[in-house]
Amino acid sequence: GDSVTQKQGQVTLSEDDFLFINCTYSTTTYPTLFWYVQYPGQGPQLLLKVTTANNKGISRGFEATYDKGTTSFHLQKASVQESDSAVYFCALVDREGGRALIFGTGTTVSVSP
Amino acid sequence: GALVYQYPRRTICKSGTSMRMECQAVGFQATSVAWYRQSPQKTFELIALSTVNSAIKYEQNFTQEKFPISHPNLSFSSMTVLNAYLEDRGLYLCGARGTGYEQYFGPGTRLTVL
């Protein structure tokens, strides 16, 4: 079945550092890809989505490129702030099946001032 | 904008009792609602997907007999946890989808079982 892999469980950074979160996916169909962010005490919030291969999604300084060749959707941000501390989830949905989102295991990002 | 409310935010029930949680979509029509349980380690388990005008599809390890779901209209869904035990603890999230592919989530209902 469809799956999403996030290898990094935890990333610890200082303000202004570069953020990179690895995400790869496996599916037999042509998915839409997402990044969600979850702050303490809240539900996941949509950060960005990309529906077309080779396209890039950009939001709030974060960006991710849908790479169909490497089946990856890595998240990057050039300069993180303390307020970016949260859990980040990569996710996909099978556009043909009308199914629910499939989430990765999440990456906790901690940014110190 | 698209908002999803869930209530209660927290609930405590005794082992063997049941509790009902609700999910309301505001600002859009929820053509489908997915219920998830999130563990303390933040991993998601999909419980079921409810799509208007279709049967509710439960994932493996989750049954209608244990987690009955109601989705009577395009703005409301509820799920009950019957005979709750320790292994049912967690944060229950509802993700509502409109006409796009993204899901909008509520803040969750945190279930504690004593």
Side-chain angles (χ1 to χ4, degrees):
Chain A
D2 298 345
S3 66
V4 177
T5 300
Q6 291 179 245
K7 292 182 179 178
Q8 304 147 288
Q10 176 104 26
V11 172
T12 303
L13 300 166
S14 300
E15 280 196 327
D16 299 324
D17 280 352
F18 172 72
L19 170 68
F20 179 90
I21 303 178
N22 184 290
C23 170
T24 56
Y25 65 91
S26 174
T27 175
T28 58
T29 63
Y30 188 11
T32 292
L33 301 175
F34 304 86
W35 277 100
Y36 278 79
V37 57
Q38 186 176 24
Y39 299 99
Q42 299 182 23
Q45 300 173 16
L46 179 64
L47 179 59
L48 55 84
K49 74 170 182 182
V50 180
T51 57
T52 307
N54 302 322
N55 278 10
K56 179 188 291 187
I58 300 175
S59 175
R60 297 189 248 164
F62 292 89
E63 62 179 58
T65 300
Y66 186 155
D67 190 330
K68 193 177 178 186
T70 59
T71 62
S72 66
F73 192 53
H74 309 313
L75 184 69
Q76 305 179 69
K77 187 176 185 184
S79 176
V80 293
Q81 302 303 306
E82 190 178 4
S83 57
D84 294 324
S85 298
V87 185
Y88 292 80
F89 294 94
C90 185
L92 68 80
V93 69
D94 169 7
R95 289 192 283 174
E96 296 177 11
R99 299 175 186 168
L101 292 179
I102 304 298
F103 285 92
T105 50
T107 299
T108 300
V109 174
S110 300
V111 182
S112 57
Chain B
L3 294 173
V4 176
Y5 295 98
Q6 285 188 254
Y7 30 88
R9 290 291 304 272
R10 296 176 179 273
T11 186
I12 300 172
C13 66
K14 291 184 178 179
S15 182
T17 63
S18 303
M19 67 82 52
R20 180 171 177 260
M21 56 190 76
E22 299 180 344
C23 172
Q24 185 167 15
V26 176
F28 70 107
Q29 293 186 320
T31 55
S32 69
V33 173
W35 286 93
Y36 297 84
R37 182 170 64 201
Q38 189 177 34
S39 71
Q41 294 72 35
K42 304 299 183 185
T43 56
F44 289 88
E45 290 180 279
L46 175 62
I47 297 170
L49 176 67
S50 172
T51 304
V52 172
N53 298 325
S54 295
I56 298 172
K57 183 178 183 299
Y58 286 84
E59 294 296 301
Q60 197 172 8
N61 301 326
F62 296 96
T63 65
Q64 182 181 3
E65 290 71 32
K66 172 73 174 177
F67 299 94
I69 290 170
S70 172
H71 189 181
N73 56 54
L74 291 173
S75 64
F76 183 82
S77 178
S78 67
M79 184 176 74
T80 301
V81 180
L82 296 173
N83 300 317
Y85 289 100
L86 283 176
E87 58 265 28
D88 297 318
R89 292 173 301 175
L91 181 67
Y92 287 82
L93 291 161
C94 103
R97 175 178 161 181
T99 55
Y101 295 109
E102 61 270 23
Q103 287 175 197
Y104 298 98
F105 287 86
T109 294
R110 185 166 298 282
L111 174 62
T112 301
V113 181
L114 301 178

